Amino acid sequence: MDGFARWLARRPLPALLATALVTLLLGIPASHLRIEQSIESMLPSGDPEVEYYNHTRQVFGSDDVAVVGVLADDVFAPATLEKIARVTDALAKVKGVEWVVSITNTPDPAANPGFTPPRLLPRIPPTPDELEAFKRRLAATPLLGENFVSDDFRGAAINVFFKNLTAAQYFDVGIDERIGAVLAEAGAPERFFYTGAGHLTQVAVGMTRHDLVRFTPVALLLILVVLWLSFRTIRGVVLPVLAVSIALVWTLGVMVLAGKAITIGTSILPPLLLVVGSSYAIHVMARYYEQVAEGGDVERVIVRAYQRVWLPLAISAFTTMVGFGSLMVNRITAIWDLGLFAVVGIACL
């Protein structure tokens, strides 16, 4: 290590250029980092039951269903029924939607079983007689009534069935935004509410992104304060933060190149690496300033600082990597990813 320290002191430019080049090469993919909160990341990898579930979805289609709730004074009012019919048709045209069912287009399977059944409501708006017959059918068939209309006729449900999409595909298609635009266009006086597993996943992604944007700068600010209180020099603040930031960029770049995204498990990785890396940097800078105080030329200062810091720092990093690496025995993808990329991140630090 003494020879490496001397080489570094005599020829810092190659090391700086190599660091800048690696940062550039990994920074480009890191800028395309995705945030996902799919339930798939919380399932054990390679589990035969998970494989069977995925195969079933491929064969029979997605089991992902969303619901658009409608609140009105009377869902059977002609204007309200016409609006529900328009929203139902508009939602069916949204990319990624397989089909949509509501009271305005639900079929009557008992009328013509085995063939294409007619709709329970033959026309929109229905005649008074057709509407009364429809209400009697709802009362007599709980399966219909409990799925489409509330008992007081003030609420209705529009069931949206999606194609077999992953959480990433759901996000890329922009289904939430498209459905939100359809419901916003519908307007008052009726009120529309949208919910479903995909929508909740998107909300979780937004919350994760918000937490990353909020807590990472907070962690960085606290690190800056600690560094300033420790060294009270510009160099003692800038160099540790720069080193930790570069290592974080490298780690995120490796994640993207590995085809991974920030998930429930790895969302804590950026602030975690900032905190762990800053502790390493504090040790290095503290040893450096100790040797500066003892005097000597630049090369001697760097070599003595390296001699005193490299072994304890390497042991500390190794034990930390072993600790996080133990998470990789877990079969849950999100936990396995956290262990793997924490090890990668600490190695970069």
Side-chain angles (χ1 to χ4, degrees):
M1 294 303 293
D2 290 357
F4 175 70
R6 290 191 179 92
W7 178 86
L8 198 61
R10 294 170 182 172
R11 297 178 178 85
L13 188 58
L16 292 174
L17 291 177
T19 301
L21 179 61
V22 174
T23 304
L24 176 63
L25 293 177
L26 291 178
I28 294 174
S31 64
H32 297 90
L33 182 69
R34 299 174 58 91
I35 299 178
E36 297 180 3
Q37 295 286 40
S38 61
I39 191 64
E40 288 87 355
S41 66
M42 299 304 296
L43 299 177
S45 177
D47 190 284
E49 294 185 1
V50 176
E51 297 296 331
Y52 177 75
Y53 168 70
N54 293 331
H55 176 69
T56 303
R57 280 169 56 97
Q58 291 177 357
V59 174
F60 296 101
S62 174
D63 57 352
D64 189 6
V65 182
V67 177
V68 174
V70 184
L71 288 182
D73 293 334
D74 180 9
V75 296
F76 291 119
T80 300
L81 280 176
E82 290 177 354
K83 183 174 292 187
I84 292 176
R86 289 197 304 271
V87 170
T88 300
D89 293 340
L91 292 176
K93 297 176 183 178
V94 171
K95 185 178 181 180
V97 173
E98 187 74 34
W99 56 297
V100 182
V101 182
S102 69
I103 57 174
T104 61
N105 69 344
T106 183
D108 185 3
N112 195 11
F115 299 93
T116 303
R119 293 182 177 182
L120 281 171
L121 283 176
R123 63 178 62 85
I124 301 296
T127 65
D129 292 340
E130 290 170 341
L131 186 56
E132 288 302 319
F134 181 62
K135 290 181 179 180
R136 289 194 298 269
R137 176 61 64 86
L138 290 176
T141 312
L143 180 62
L144 294 174
E146 294 177 0
N147 277 280
F148 295 109
V149 184
S150 63
D151 293 337
D152 59 1
F153 301 145
R154 297 185 60 189
I158 304 174
N159 297 320
V160 182
F161 295 82
F162 297 109
K163 296 178 180 178
N164 196 9
L165 303 174
T166 64
Q169 291 170 331
Y170 183 98
F171 177 80
D172 291 338
V173 172
I175 291 179
D176 262 24
E177 292 77 8
R178 295 172 185 266
I179 291 179
V182 169
L183 301 184
E185 187 178 350
E190 295 81 8
R191 298 170 63 193
F192 292 86
F193 303 89
Y194 174 57
T195 188
H199 176 64
L200 295 178
T201 299
Q202 290 303 104
V203 172
V205 168
M207 294 174 66
T208 300
R209 184 178 290 109
H210 178 264
D211 288 345
L212 283 174
V213 172
R214 179 175 59 179
F215 289 120
T216 302
V218 169
L220 185 59
L221 178 61
L222 292 176
I223 290 170
L224 291 173
V225 171
V226 171
L227 290 172
W228 177 255
L229 293 177
S230 300
F231 303 116
R232 297 185 183 276
T233 65
I234 299 298
R235 176 184 296 176
V237 174
V238 172
L239 290 183
V241 171
L242 183 61
V244 172
S245 300
I246 289 173
L248 181 58
V249 170
W250 290 4
T251 306
L252 298 181
V254 171
M255 285 185 66
V256 174
L257 293 178
K260 297 293 185 176
I262 292 292
T263 64
I264 298 173
T266 55
S267 60
I268 66 170
L269 197 57
L272 173 69
L273 293 180
L274 287 177
V275 172
V276 174
S278 64
S279 67
Y280 295 162
I282 286 175
H283 285 294
V284 174
M285 295 303 298
R287 291 293 178 266
Y288 169 76
Y289 280 122
E290 286 178 358
Q291 300 310 311
V292 169
E294 293 183 8
D297 58 40
V298 173
E299 182 176 329
R300 290 188 60 191
V301 167
I302 292 177
V303 171
R304 290 201 308 259
Y306 241 89
Q307 288 174 339
R308 286 159 176 76
V309 78
W310 80 266
L311 183 59
L313 202 62
I315 293 174
S316 175
F318 176 74
T319 56
T320 306
M321 286 190 285
V322 170
F324 280 108
S326 65
L327 296 176
M328 296 173 65
V329 302
N330 198 298
R331 294 171 59 201
I332 296 178
T333 303
I335 298 177
W336 193 91
D337 287 347
L338 174 61
L340 172 63
F341 292 110
V343 170
V344 172
I346 293 168
C348 292
L349 289 168

